[in-house]
Amino acid sequence: MDEYVTVVDHPLIKHKLTLMRRATASTQKFRSLLREIAHLLTYEITRDLELTTERIETPLEEMDAPVLAGKKLCFVSILRAGNGLLEGMVELLPSARVGHIGMFRDPETLEAVEYYCKMPDDIAGRRVIVVDPMLATGNSAGAAISHLKKLGATNIKFLCLLAAPEGVAALRAEHPDVPIYTAAIDERLDDHGYIRPGLGDAGDRMYGTK
Ligand SMILES: O=P(O)(O)OC[C@H]1O[C@H](OP(=O)(O)OP(=O)(O)O)[C@H](O)[C@@H]1O
Ligand SMILES: O=c1cc[nH]c(=O)[nH]1
Ligand SMILES: [Mg+2]
């Protein structure tokens, strides 16, 4: 891998991801773990946010205290499963703008089919973080990022929970300017485009649709 791929390596993330992988994890447990991991991943992916200072008064004296500058952030959730990560992210950064892009994978071709898109008008000027728990073939993330670039976005990162080596390679090739952050890279993709060992279908596990 290269410097554009960050595996966020932390014992808490590894432990919580293991709990999510277990086939016995309930829908409720799966969702709450995803939200918790989203907090930890957000901590890492926002490490380079600029700061400025504000003059404040503590109970004892005045000081110049650090605050986030600009706050021109936009999170883009790839529906449906992206919303599980998004929820945890907006808890940490409640002033971020949010865009949604609906994608499903054609089960035969594994190509991404877009069915919805709603973005803030000023997306071109924002730092964009695209989120989807699963990076399998890379088709969904690649198509979502291409759409955002057509809308003028130039500063884009991609955040997922679990990636296949094939998806990382495909996304690096299609969008070499987009850094990828993930909690883990698994062994492989299977013949149906599932990440192995993986955790199954993230959307179905989050929403109990299977
Ligand atoms: O890298 P890819 O091969 O494109 O696979 C990853 C995509 O597959 C899943 O979505 P799915 O199509 O199951 O839709 P859902 O989120 O509505 O369940 C997942 O949430 C990603 O969006
Ligand atoms: O393993 C996979 C692959 C694509 N989408 C998922 O939700 N899981
Ligand atoms: Mg999807």
Side-chain angles (χ1 to χ4, degrees):
M1 291 300 164
D2 54 37
E3 78 274 17
Y4 273 75
V5 181
T6 303
V7 179
V8 185
D9 191 19
H10 192 285
L12 274 181
I13 295 178
K14 286 186 197 290
H15 178 79
K16 288 176 188 294
L17 177 55
T18 298
L19 299 180
M20 291 181 78
R21 288 182 191 271
R22 284 192 172 137
T24 50
S26 67
T27 296
Q28 183 190 10
K29 193 73 194 156
F30 190 89
R31 223 187 275 152
S32 65
L33 286 164
L34 185 55
R35 211 179 76 240
E36 289 171 21
I37 295 181
H39 291 157
L40 301 165
L41 293 173
T42 303
Y43 176 82
E44 192 56 36
I45 204 169
T46 55
R47 193 174 275 288
D48 61 349
L49 287 185
E50 293 96 15
L51 292 168
T52 182
T53 56
E54 245 176 48
R55 193 77 186 158
I56 63 158
E57 271 180 48
T58 78
L60 301 178
E61 61 179 292
E62 287 198 350
M63 71 174 283
D64 291 315
V67 288
L68 289 175
K71 297 184 187 145
K72 301 266 291 177
L73 266 176
C74 180
F75 300 144
V76 172
S77 167
I78 302 181
L79 304 175
R80 292 174 297 170
N83 279 4
L85 276 177
L86 175 71
E87 212 179 288
M89 296 175 79
V90 292
E91 281 172 358
L92 286 194
L93 285 148
S95 64
R97 299 295 186 268
V98 175
H100 295 88
I101 186 159
M103 295 273 179
F104 67 85
R105 296 199 310 174
D106 181 304
E108 299 301 322
T109 64
L110 299 182
E111 291 301 319
V113 182
E114 183 179 322
Y115 59 88
Y116 181 77
C117 184
K118 184 74 183 172
M119 294 295 151
D121 287 343
D122 60 354
I123 183 112
R126 291 186 173 268
R127 277 171 176 266
V128 178
I129 303 178
V130 179
V131 304
D132 190 329
M134 310 304 274
L135 179 66
T137 63
N139 290 340
S140 303
I145 291 168
S146 293
H147 191 145
L148 295 171
K149 287 183 173 174
K150 280 199 192 109
L151 297 176
T154 55
N155 185 339
I156 304 175
K157 291 179 178 181
F158 178 75
L159 176 66
C160 62
L161 174 69
L162 204 50
E166 294 87 340
V168 174
L171 194 58
R172 290 291 300 118
E174 189 177 357
H175 297 292
D177 56 314
V178 175
I180 300 170
Y181 289 72
T182 182
I185 301 176
D186 270 8
E187 283 167 21
R188 65 185 195 283
L189 271 188
D190 70 16
D191 294 343
H192 305 286
Y194 277 87
I195 300 171
R196 295 297 187 104
L199 50 71
D201 187 301
D204 284 338
R205 295 202 63 191
M206 267 178 58
Y207 295 115
T209 41
K210 221 174 218 170

